[in-house]
Amino acid sequence: MLKFSWNWKLALFVACLLVILLRLGFWQLDREEEKAALQSLLNERLAQPTEPLDTFSDEVDLLYRQVEVTGKFDNQHLFFLDNRVSKGQVGFEVLQPLLASTGDWLLVNRGFIPQGPTRQELPIPMLFDEEVRLQGYLYTSLSETMTLGDITPTPGWPKIIQVVKIDQLSILSENTNQVINAELRLADQSPGVLERNWTLINTTPEKHFGYAMQWFSMAIALVALSLWQSFKKSDNE
């Protein structure tokens, strides 16, 4: 017959590991809800008509708003967001400040451009001296305020950056005007648009649900194995 054998060390280890596995599973379920809400917001706002940028105040959530803006590109200050890949090709995302007709500064993400023969030979895109009318959607960081990072990676201009930090754009562009805390990702028909390869939502709600089920499955397997280990056959069998 089977006999239960209590091992407090094993039980303590199993309990601690079980708590970790369950917390990871419920965390993924929370992420599933967040991504589902984000997906719903994305679908809603991308279905809305394009509106002028000054329609939205600072208090309004700018994420995925479809806007149009008129202004002039700052051709003296180009940013190359490093470590971008498109269709197996390494390159950059080109970000360029725009002085809008409202007097605000807006960082425009023109899209992906392949890397040149060397990292020292940056592939300069077509520049515009005249006023342009742009359309696209606004993107803001989902975790924290976007910032253009420290200016130490490369000297001079154009500048290679590793992370987008919009709150320092006024310093980098040598102006003190208001800066819109979002980047404009250009629509296909906008002047200056390059390859549009942005990921709107990096992980779907379904994937987070799948990850949660994996953690819960591991928790069930852990309990089953610990119970199997705790029951031993008696010497009389």
Side-chain angles (χ1 to χ4, degrees):
M1 60 181 299
L2 296 178
K3 181 181 178 182
F4 182 76
S5 176
W6 172 256
N7 185 326
W8 71 269
K9 293 182 179 180
L10 176 62
L12 180 61
F13 171 77
V14 169
C16 292
L17 188 54
L18 182 62
V19 170
I20 294 174
L21 293 175
L22 292 176
R23 291 190 65 178
L24 287 171
F26 285 114
W27 174 68
Q28 287 294 342
L29 289 180
D30 290 339
R31 296 288 290 160
E32 179 199 10
E33 291 184 4
E34 293 174 4
K35 289 300 177 67
L38 184 62
Q39 183 69 61
S40 177
L41 177 67
L42 170 64
N43 295 337
E44 174 190 343
R45 292 191 171 172
L46 293 187
Q48 294 174 351
T50 300
E51 300 186 60
L53 177 62
D54 55 8
T55 301
F56 308 104
S57 65
D58 291 339
E59 291 74 25
V60 175
D61 179 18
L62 300 178
L63 183 61
Y64 300 139
R65 298 282 187 183
Q66 295 201 95
V67 300
E68 59 182 13
V69 58
T70 301
K72 295 193 68 175
F73 278 118
D74 178 358
N75 292 330
Q76 303 303 313
H77 303 96
L78 289 173
F79 301 97
F80 287 77
L81 184 59
D82 203 4
N83 299 317
R84 306 294 102 176
V85 178
S86 179
K87 301 174 183 176
Q89 195 168 20
V90 178
F92 307 91
E93 284 181 22
V94 178
L95 297 107
Q96 187 172 4
L98 178 88
L99 179 58
S101 56
T102 59
D104 298 326
W105 282 90
L106 176 66
L107 189 65
V108 178
N109 191 324
R110 296 179 55 179
F112 176 84
I113 191 170
Q115 182 176 299
T118 66
R119 286 177 57 83
Q120 287 68 39
E121 300 178 43
L122 293 175
I124 304 302
M126 180 179 179
L127 301 178
F128 297 82
D129 294 321
E130 69 278 7
E131 189 174 70
V132 292
R133 187 177 187 84
L134 306 177
Q135 291 185 338
Y137 69 89
L138 296 174
Y139 178 79
T140 61
S141 173
L142 301 178
S143 56
E144 57 184 24
T145 302
M146 299 170 64
T147 59
L148 261 178
D150 297 331
I151 317 304
T152 52
T154 58
W157 297 93
K159 195 175 296 294
I160 298 177
I161 59 175
Q162 304 298 323
V163 62
V164 179
K165 290 192 171 185
I166 293 179
D167 62 351
Q168 295 183 13
L169 180 58
S170 59
I171 299 175
L172 298 176
S173 298
E174 301 174 1
N175 71 80
T176 57
N177 297 79
Q178 182 181 1
V179 176
I180 304 298
N181 188 35
E183 69 178 59
L184 176 65
R185 293 180 170 181
L186 292 181
D188 282 328
Q189 67 272 23
S190 290
V193 65
L194 302 171
E195 182 182 340
R196 303 173 72 250
N197 69 327
W198 306 292
T199 300
L200 295 179
I201 298 180
N202 54 5
T203 307
T204 64
E206 293 76 16
K207 282 191 176 181
H208 284 294
F209 180 79
Y211 295 150
M213 293 303 102
Q214 290 179 7
W215 290 119
F216 290 143
S217 297
M218 292 174 64
I220 294 173
L222 175 66
V223 172
L225 287 173
S226 63
L227 290 176
W228 176 80
Q229 180 66 25
S230 298
F231 281 95
K232 295 183 178 179
K233 291 184 177 181
S234 67
D235 296 334
N236 297 329
E237 187 177 9

